[in-house]
Structure formats: C-alpha cells, structure tokens
Amino acid sequence: METSLRLKTSFLSSPKPSRSSLSRLRLATPTLAMAAHSSVSASLLSADPRRRDEVLSASLASVSNCLSETHLDQTVPGLRSKTRGKVRDVYEGDNYLVLVTTDRQSAFDRVLASIPFKGQVLNETSLWWFDKTRHITPNAVISSPDRNVTIAKRCSVFPVEFVVRGFVTGSTDTSLWTVYNEGVRNYCGNALPEGMVKNQKLPTNILTPTTKAVDHDVPVTPHEIIEMGLMTKDEYDEVSQKALDLFAFGQKVALEHGLLLVDTKYEFGKATDGTIMLIDEVHTPDSSRYWIANSYEERFSSGLEPENVDKEFLRLWFKNNCNPYEDKVLPEAPVELVCELAWRYIFLFETITHSKFELPGSEEPIHERISRNVKEAILHI
C-alpha cells in the first residue's frame, strides 16, 4: 500500500525562508547525505553555489505546497477514470491519455515523501530525452500543455519493464548488487562473472526485465516473458534491442556532460497500427541512476560510494532508519534531504539539457494552472 508522508515543517514558520533557516539547511544537508553513505560533491553538485542556494531556498519555501494529488476528472470535461500510480496520475480521453507527473517520491514500492518541483523536472527531462531519441524509437508523446503534463497516444502497454544496467549496484531487493551479494550468478538470463564488487562496471550492459505484480516488481527471463504470453518473440526481440540502444545512447550523452548513466528502466506499448512506441518516462533521475563521472574511479578504488545525482541517497536514508518494505509507518523524510533531492533533480536537468530550469512562480495555484492548460489543449486534439 502506498504511504504518503507529511514532511517536517520545522523550517517553515514563514512563507519565505529566512537567512538563518537557509544557512541551517545548507549546513545540515551534507551531514545527512553523508549519513546515508552518499556525498555531496564539492566540485560539481556545488559548482554553482548561488544557483544551489537559489534552488534550496525555493524548495524550502515550497515543501508544504507540493503537487501530491490531482483531480482533473472533476474539473476537465471529457476526462475520466483516473489511475493513480506511484508518481503519475493518468486520465483517459477518447483516443489519448493525460499524464500528470506529481511531486510524489517513490521507492521500495511505496510513496516516501513529496519533493518540491519534482513533477516538473521529471516531465521536462523526459520530454527532452523523448525528442533526442526519436532516431532510435518512436514515442507516444502528442504534446505537453503544462510543465507537469504530457498528453500521449493511447496504446496497449506491454506488462514488462525493461531494466538496463551497466554497473553492479543498488539497494532494493531486486537491485543487481543485492542479488549478486546473495550469491546469484544468473539473473534474468544473464550469466554474471565471479569476483565482482559493489558499484563495479559490468563487462557489457545487460537487460534485466521485470513484470508488474500487485505491489512489487518481479524479475523475469526473456524465455518466461514469451512463455507466459506477455510478449511474442518478435515483440521481445524488437523492444529489447530498442532498450539496449536507448541505454547506450543515454550513456554517451550523459558522459559528454560529465555523468555516468548507471541503470534505468523503459516501458513500451503498441499503437493500434502495430507500431511499438516508447512510453512513460525516459532517463529521468526517478527511473535512472546517475553518478558523477570524474570522481567515480577514485571513489570506487577507495571503496567509497559514488557521488550520485538521483534518489539513491534518500533510499539509503530510509534503509538506515527503518525497514521500508515491512514497516507500516515510516519515519518522515528530513526536510534537509527533501530539499537536497529537489536540488539534485534540477542539477541533473540543467546539466544534461544545458538549459536553466524555470522555478515555478506563485502567480497562480498549480491545480488551477494545470486544469486550465489541459482544458485548452484537449480542445485541439
């Protein structure tokens, strides 16, 4: 069951953060991040301290105003049957879907917190990658009428997530390092060499698909996917090659920008004309793991965790402070980590796209803005 948590508001005594609260946030963030066995890079993540302070300040002021729920089926004529995912709210139209990316933060198959600006970051990051990967595969995007919204073509979704990995790492039950450390040497049809250590680069990128269960992902082999009738052999062959090609391209682009794309997941669907399309999201910090490239070798050789630009440090904080799989009630995510994650997501967007992330203003309530923009957009579909 998904569990939404209220965030700490100890720094939120006024609509605008004071200098003292921002200073405390600035000082506390590295300490908490390191306690989660992840470091804040002094050379890259903090390369532009003014920008970082600007984002931390805006995040602190927005912690209590995140987009955690939407109800467009009640405000936009023609939309129906809302489906609430871990992060996205999906609404059905006649021949299209409206996907609203919220600020909900998920891991361990549940919602952990809400992160300021996260929905906008994920939506705009995906749109950038969707545009850059059209030479590899078509995608379902029709338009994006709002910072948090993508309107997409309806399609028949394959009930398989295509997880591609370039390193032995991770902290969840299905992560490659977890199963490797438990002695598994054949995972999802991939033979794994002996003697590997955590965060080591694999000899070659591998595909570790999962199927969707009621409340968690289940690793599966290509043979099982075909045997269970989830995909035909031709469909699997085409999609698996697209996934590997997308990942190789993503790694190339990330490295050009000083980052390592460590692993990611893709989802695909089939249009009514039989075209296989990339759907959902692509290469976001939610669906992917990114590390800082120029410090990886030194930190790996020293047995230190890589500098990450994704949600891994928040995962590790929860693993160190509770059992996120079994505890019914989880501790509240510290506001310092919430704001730090907002900064890292924005940092990744700006680093990859070479564009400045537009921090939302307060001129219009976010629910009203989304509803207005979606109403206008569907009139032209």
Side-chain angles (χ1 to χ4, degrees):
M1 182 179 71
E2 293 181 337
T3 305
S4 297
L5 298 174
R6 292 180 302 169
L7 301 174
K8 288 186 177 180
T9 57
S10 58
F11 291 108
L12 302 178
S13 58
S14 60
K16 294 185 179 180
S18 66
R19 289 184 179 180
S20 60
S21 65
L22 182 57
S23 296
R24 281 180 285 159
L25 176 64
R26 195 183 298 129
L27 289 170
T29 299
T31 303
L32 284 165
M34 286 187 287
H37 305 297
S38 171
S39 71
V40 177
S41 169
S43 59
L44 196 56
L45 278 168
S46 300
D48 186 348
R50 287 187 179 180
R51 178 58 172 164
R52 185 170 185 270
D53 282 354
E54 179 186 13
V55 172
L56 287 176
S57 177
S59 301
L60 187 59
S62 300
V63 161
S64 61
N65 194 35
C66 290
L67 181 66
S68 299
E69 293 289 342
T70 65
H71 302 283
L72 292 185
D73 52 330
Q74 300 175 14
T75 61
V76 179
L79 295 186
R80 55 188 181 276
S81 61
K82 170 187 172 182
T83 301
R84 186 185 189 274
K86 292 189 185 78
V87 175
R88 288 169 182 80
D89 291 343
V90 182
Y91 301 88
E92 292 187 18
D94 291 334
N95 59 348
Y96 59 87
L97 298 174
V98 175
L99 296 88
V100 184
T101 309
T102 72
D103 296 330
R104 297 191 295 263
Q105 181 66 56
S106 70
F108 309 108
D109 299 312
R110 63 198 299 178
V111 173
L112 302 178
S114 291
I115 310 297
F117 320 128
K118 180 198 163 185
Q120 179 183 341
V121 174
L122 295 192
N123 193 53
E124 293 182 353
T125 301
S126 278
L127 290 169
W128 189 89
W129 280 108
F130 276 129
D131 182 61
K132 299 299 181 183
T133 56
R134 292 181 187 275
H135 65 290
I136 298 174
T137 179
N139 60 67
V141 176
I142 296 174
S143 65
S144 177
D146 184 88
R147 301 164 183 168
N148 290 70
V149 178
T150 292
I151 298 179
K153 301 172 186 175
R154 292 176 66 100
C155 63
S156 176
V157 178
F158 295 117
V160 178
E161 289 189 350
F162 286 79
V163 182
V164 188
R165 305 178 187 272
F167 293 77
V168 182
T169 193
S171 57
T172 64
D173 285 354
T174 58
S175 72
L176 191 55
W177 171 245
T178 300
V179 298
Y180 187 90
N181 197 38
E182 292 172 349
V184 174
R185 293 298 179 268
N186 192 300
Y187 190 53
C188 299
N190 300 284
L192 303 173
E194 293 287 346
M196 299 198 75
V197 297
K198 188 180 182 186
N199 302 325
Q200 185 173 350
K201 185 173 173 58
L202 288 161
T204 185
N205 295 332
I206 63 172
L207 188 62
T208 60
T210 63
T211 61
K212 283 289 190 183
V214 174
D215 57 0
H216 63 281
D217 300 334
V218 180
V220 65
T221 67
H223 175 74
E224 290 169 334
I225 290 172
I226 297 166
E227 190 176 56
M228 290 188 292
L230 303 178
M231 303 176 76
T232 67
K233 184 178 185 304
D234 286 345
E235 289 170 341
Y236 178 82
D237 289 345
E238 179 179 346
V239 171
S240 61
Q241 189 58 57
K242 286 179 183 291
L244 289 168
D245 290 346
L246 284 165
F247 190 67
F249 178 74
Q251 285 183 310
K252 175 179 177 292
V253 173
L255 189 57
E256 290 170 352
H257 295 80
L259 301 171
L260 296 174
L261 177 59
V262 177
D263 51 42
T264 194
K265 73 172 181 69
Y266 306 105
E267 295 188 43
F268 294 86
K270 181 179 278 191
T272 54
D273 64 358
T275 301
I276 290 178
M277 301 182 297
L278 180 63
I279 64 170
D280 193 47
E281 62 183 320
V282 56
H283 297 165
T284 71
D286 238 28
S287 65
S288 314
R289 216 182 303 266
Y290 284 92
W291 294 338
I292 303 295
N294 65 7
S295 63
Y296 165 72
E297 290 290 350
E298 181 180 352
R299 296 183 68 83
F300 176 72
S301 300
S302 302
L304 300 174
E305 286 292 314
E307 297 175 286
N308 63 69
V309 198
D310 51 59
K311 62 184 178 182
E312 181 65 9
F313 77 95
L314 190 65
R315 285 194 194 103
L316 291 171
W317 185 88
F318 275 96
K319 285 203 75 172
N320 289 340
N321 287 275
C322 64
N323 184 332
Y325 286 108
E326 296 182 6
D327 292 352
K328 291 184 178 181
V329 178
L330 300 183
E332 294 182 349
V335 70
E336 297 89 349
L337 288 191
V338 167
C339 292
E340 173 65 19
L341 189 56
W343 159 242
R344 293 192 188 198
Y345 275 28
I346 290 172
F347 166 84
L348 178 68
F349 171 83
E350 296 185 337
T351 301
I352 288 288
T353 67
H354 275 188
S355 61
K356 188 173 183 179
F357 179 80
E358 183 180 347
L359 293 167
S362 57
E363 64 280 356
E364 182 178 12
I366 188 169
H367 291 87
E368 294 180 14
R369 187 199 76 209
I370 290 174
S371 180
R372 173 176 55 78
N373 287 338
V374 170
K375 281 181 184 177
E376 183 177 344
I378 63 177
L379 292 175
H380 304 289
I381 295 178

